Amino acid sequence: MKIQTLRFIVAVLLTLVAMLYFYTNREKDYYSKSAEPAIAQILTEISSWEKQVFLHHLAPEAKQAINDEQLDKLMDVYRSFGRFQSIEALNFSRTVSAFSLVGDKRINYSGIANFDAGPISLNITLIEWGGFFLVYNFTLAKVLNE
């Protein structure tokens, strides 16, 4: 391979990486104003751990992926965390944002949320649906102190 071809390829790759960085940074800024408050509202509402309230916030794809038995088991586990209190930290996923360029638009955040039981690790993926956000994927786990 000629050196000029290699330089061209490297320049194109660097340009693409820079463009992805600026795109995901813009997405992060945009969604910090709408998605982050929505996450707090969703957590406040679903932390009653009532099945119908939880289902109300799920995206259609998520509802199709879980059956009643799985949802009941999930509610039993999450119920032990108690009510949502506050969010300590949320981290926007640039990777999910970048992949949304070629697929369905999804926004992912991870971080720590405070519940009655203490700090809980949170991972939530949202989709925009008619001007509001629905939960596409949702995981909570007790934070282990080492």
Side-chain angles (χ1 to χ4, degrees), residues 52 79 101 127:
Q52 290 306 317
R79 197 170 284 117
L101 280 170
I127 59 171

Side-chain angles (χ1 to χ4, degrees), residues 11-56:
V12 167
L13 289 175
L14 286 174
T15 301
L16 287 173
V17 168
M19 290 172 62
L20 277 175
Y21 176 81
F22 287 114
Y23 169 77
T24 58
N25 198 47
R26 189 185 67 165
E27 292 278 293
K28 178 182 176 183
D29 291 343
Y30 176 77
Y31 286 114
S32 71
K33 296 177 183 113
S34 58
E36 290 180 18
I39 291 170
Q41 179 184 351
I42 289 168
L43 289 174
T44 299
E45 292 176 13
I46 67 172
S47 70
S48 66
W49 306 119
E50 294 175 24
K51 192 174 181 178
Q52 290 306 317
V53 175
F54 194 78
L55 285 170
H56 173 74

Side-chain angles (χ1 to χ4, degrees), residues 53-68:
V53 175
F54 194 78
L55 285 170
H56 173 74
H57 287 285
L58 287 182
E61 301 92 337
K63 288 178 185 176
Q64 291 174 352
I66 191 167
N67 64 38
D68 279 341

Side-chain angles (χ1 to χ4, degrees), residues 49 65 88 112 125 129:
W49 306 119
E88 268 184 48
I112 304 295
T125 304
W129 188 268

Side-chain angles (χ1 to χ4, degrees), residues 64-134:
Q64 291 174 352
I66 191 167
N67 64 38
D68 279 341
E69 183 182 332
Q70 292 168 325
L71 186 58
D72 289 338
K73 287 180 182 178
L74 190 65
M75 291 290 101
D76 289 342
V77 171
Y78 289 168
R79 197 170 284 117
S80 69
F81 297 151
R83 299 286 299 183
F84 168 74
Q85 303 295 324
S86 64
I87 294 176
E88 268 184 48
L90 275 179
N91 302 305
F92 180 79
S93 172
R94 290 179 186 272
T95 305
V96 172
S97 181
F99 280 120
S100 289
L101 280 170
V102 293
D104 295 334
K105 183 67 178 164
R106 294 191 179 94
I107 307 131
N108 179 269
Y109 283 89
S110 60
I112 304 295
N114 293 310
F115 285 78
D116 290 338
I120 303 293
S121 176
L122 161 74
N123 191 313
I124 188 167
T125 304
L126 304 172
I127 59 171
E128 280 189 278
W129 188 268
F132 57 96
F133 293 98
L134 293 176

